[in-house]
């Protein structure tokens, strides 16, 4: 299978066709080998219009959702970004091509370890990954120009608002455990936050002190 052809088709048919125009985002999606972030048995599906299982009851996000969330941050190239929910590391890889540095938090150690290995293999050296509860943010490295949350939260965790710089953007899914609204919150001034609803979406739950308290039951 020619993965670069599959990738081009993915960008044209799933991302450009749905209105994403940021050339830097499109270039990053064309460049990152998404098939390396899934199990070998799923590689032939890596460029399909869907999320896919990555083990530990978690998923690699749908390509369009990765593109839409990334585009919503309106990145220029010199930002420091916080990502919550490293998962496979695919979104991390896309962000790493678009900003100065990516700080990413994953609560499941095996996933963080696997992501670290692939990102190292791809020689992406501007990424810090840590294992822990991402609902508290990453205080030592704050403030951030952007915070991207790849898991659904019942509310907007206070720490994310606190850890955004002025002009910074937070993109996160808010709702119940089965469906959410993707929101963008821009910190206009110290105490002024502009909120927008971008689209409906479905993410795995954000589990932690400021998110859902327990894992969903099957
Ligand atoms: N962007 C990732 C999405 C992975 S799914 C990808 O495309 O691969 C969301 C991830 O968020 C899961 O790996 C889950 O373990 C993680 N997660 C859930 N709650 C978290 C928390 N409080 N802190 C850090 N990671 C969390």
């Amino acid at each position: 299978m020619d993965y670069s052809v599959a990738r081009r088709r993915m960008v044209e048919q799933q991302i450009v066709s749905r209105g994403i125009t940021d050339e830097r985002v499109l270039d990053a999606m064309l460049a990152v080998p998404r098939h390396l972030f899934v199990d070998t048995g799923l590689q032939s599906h890596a460029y399909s219009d869907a999320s896919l299982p990555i083990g530990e009851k978690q998923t690699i996000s749908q390509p369009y959702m990765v593109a839409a969330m990334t585009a919503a941050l309106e990145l220029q190239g010199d930002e420091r970004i916080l990502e919550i929910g490293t998962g496979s590391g695919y979104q991390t890889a896309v962000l790493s091509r678009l900003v100065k540095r990516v700080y990413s938090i994953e609560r499941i150690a095996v996933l963080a370890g696997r992501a670290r290995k692939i990102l190292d293999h791809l020689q992406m050296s501007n990424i810090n990954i840590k294992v822990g509860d991402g609902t508290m943010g990453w205080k030592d490295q704050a403030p951030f120009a952007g915070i991207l949350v790849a898991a659904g939260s019942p509310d907007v965790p206070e720490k994310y608002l606190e850890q955004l710089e002025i002009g910074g953007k937070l993109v996160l899914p808010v709702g119940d455990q089965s469906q959410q609204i993707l929101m963008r919150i821009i910190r206009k001034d110290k105490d002024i936050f502009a909120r927008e609803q971008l689209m409906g979406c479905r993410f795995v739950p954000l589990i932690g002190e400021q998110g859902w308290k327990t894992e969903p039951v099957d």
Side-chain angles (χ1 to χ4, degrees), residues 178-194:
S178 58
Q179 53 185 343
Q180 306 89 31
I181 305 276
L182 187 66
M183 300 204 36
R184 175 166 65 179
I185 301 176
I186 304 179
R187 188 171 201 174
K188 298 281 188 186
D189 209 335
K190 190 169 180 302
D191 299 313
I192 302 176
F193 295 89

Side-chain angles (χ1 to χ4, degrees), residues 58-61 85 87-88 105-108 111 133-134 150 204-205 207:
Q58 308 304 323
T59 54
I60 178 173
S61 306
S88 66
I105 309 177
E106 169 56 54
R107 65 182 279 271
I108 301 177
L111 295 179
D133 177 8
V204 296
I207 297 167

Side-chain angles (χ1 to χ4, degrees), residues 57-59 69 82-87 105-108 132-137 147-160 170-180 202-216:
K57 295 195 273 182
Q58 308 304 323
T59 54
M69 292 179 90
L82 175 64
E83 178 195 35
I84 310 298
T86 319
I105 309 177
E106 169 56 54
R107 65 182 279 271
I108 301 177
D133 177 8
T135 66
M136 307 306 284
I147 302 178
L148 187 158
V149 186
S153 181
D155 293 298
V156 180
E158 200 57 38
K159 301 283 179 200
Y160 299 160
L170 164 64
V171 176
L172 87 168
V174 179
D176 61 33
Q177 290 204 3
S178 58
Q179 53 185 343
Q180 306 89 31
R202 294 183 66 143
F203 281 84
V204 296
L206 181 74
I207 297 167
E209 205 171 312
Q210 303 277 309
W212 296 98
K213 296 288 183 277
T214 52
E215 305 225 14

Side-chain angles (χ1 to χ4, degrees), residues 73-112:
L73 291 174
E74 299 179 325
L75 301 166
Q76 304 299 318
D78 57 351
E79 295 91 347
R80 295 166 64 260
I81 296 293
L82 175 64
E83 178 195 35
I84 310 298
T86 319
S88 66
Y90 174 68
Q91 169 85 70
T92 325
V94 170
L95 287 170
S96 101
R97 295 186 65 92
L98 295 171
V99 301
K100 191 155 85 189
R101 191 142 208 109
V102 185
Y103 296 86
S104 187
I105 309 177
E106 169 56 54
R107 65 182 279 271
I108 301 177
V110 280
L111 295 179

